Amino acid sequence: MTQPSIHVAHEDYGSSGRYVVTLAGVPGEAELTWRNGGPGIIVADHTYAPDSMRGAGVAAAMVRRLVADARARGVMIVPACSYVRAQFERHPEWADLHAD
């Protein structure tokens, strides 16, 4: 079975935002929310994937997009969400973006 391509959309509301994934033919949407944590810092505070998307790699895709965007914007990430924190532990190459 071929896994569908995962497109991660980003919604920026200024002081907060979210990354969203919808998959064709799959009900629901996955999201990773963030908020401003001060100058140069964003707080990744919640990740959710509905049961219909579990195991499809959508949560990991959202974290990768968060990290890529943080690098591009020159900001650091507080991984307040347990899933994002676990991904940071698995990816030591992201340590330069980790804010406490």
Side-chain angles (χ1 to χ4, degrees):
M1 180 174 166
T2 303
Q3 195 165 6
S5 174
I6 299 172
H7 171 73
V8 180
H10 182 223
E11 299 172 357
D12 188 335
Y13 309 125
S15 62
S16 66
R18 70 184 193 139
Y19 292 89
V20 183
V21 171
T22 56
L23 298 176
V26 179
E29 69 179 17
E31 75 173 359
L32 184 161
T33 61
W34 62 269
R35 60 184 162 79
N36 187 345
I41 297 174
I42 56 175
V43 179
D45 53 15
H46 178 70
T47 304
Y48 170 76
D51 288 342
S52 59
M53 292 185 190
R54 302 255 165 129
V58 296
M62 290 186 296
V63 176
R64 286 192 303 271
R65 172 75 189 271
L66 168 75
V67 166
D69 287 356
R71 282 201 192 287
R73 292 176 48 204
V75 299
M76 297 188 66
I77 301 167
V78 174
C81 164
S82 60
Y83 182 81
V84 176
R85 190 169 41 255
Q87 289 298 308
F88 265 80
E89 290 170 3
R90 288 183 186 113
H91 294 275
E93 68 273 19
W94 298 346
D96 61 311
L97 296 177
H98 189 281
D100 294 321

